[in-house]
Amino acid sequence: MGYQLNAAQARKLEAFISAGEFESVEEAIDTAIAGLEIDTSDLDWTKPLIAEAEASLARGEGVSLDDVKARLATKFARHEK
């Protein structure tokens, strides 16, 4: 069975391989497939964590998405140099 990647998919895979994230396209695809196989049927353990996060937001302790993006951009910019 053969599959054809579109140009954007091929570029992304090659970038991951060039960066040393994966040894080969096959390894990257195996990792992606393994991620799809994660069992999400029992997520009850997350309910208390979500409740605490919601309470934190209600107390005004949250961080805006724009702030998170700015912090990440700054962090990654430092690592690219």
Side-chain angles (χ1 to χ4, degrees), residues 13-14 16-18 20-31:
L13 280 174
E14 290 302 324
F16 282 126
I17 293 166
S18 294
E21 297 289 327
F22 301 102
E23 295 284 324
S24 65
V25 171
E26 291 80 9
E27 181 186 359
I29 291 171
D30 286 344
T31 301

Side-chain angles (χ1 to χ4, degrees), residues 24-47:
S24 65
V25 171
E26 291 80 9
E27 181 186 359
I29 291 171
D30 286 344
T31 301
I33 291 170
L36 294 172
E37 295 174 335
I38 295 172
D39 181 14
T40 59
S41 62
D42 181 19
L43 295 177
D44 285 343
W45 62 271
T46 65
K47 290 179 182 177

Side-chain angles (χ1 to χ4, degrees), residues 45-78:
W45 62 271
T46 65
K47 290 179 182 177
L49 299 173
I50 293 169
E52 175 54 31
E54 289 173 338
S56 176
L57 288 173
R59 293 189 300 267
E61 298 172 351
V63 178
S64 75
L65 179 59
D66 289 337
D67 287 345
V68 171
K69 287 180 179 179
R71 290 178 190 179
L72 288 173
T74 300
K75 181 178 180 176
F76 288 118
R78 280 184 280 180

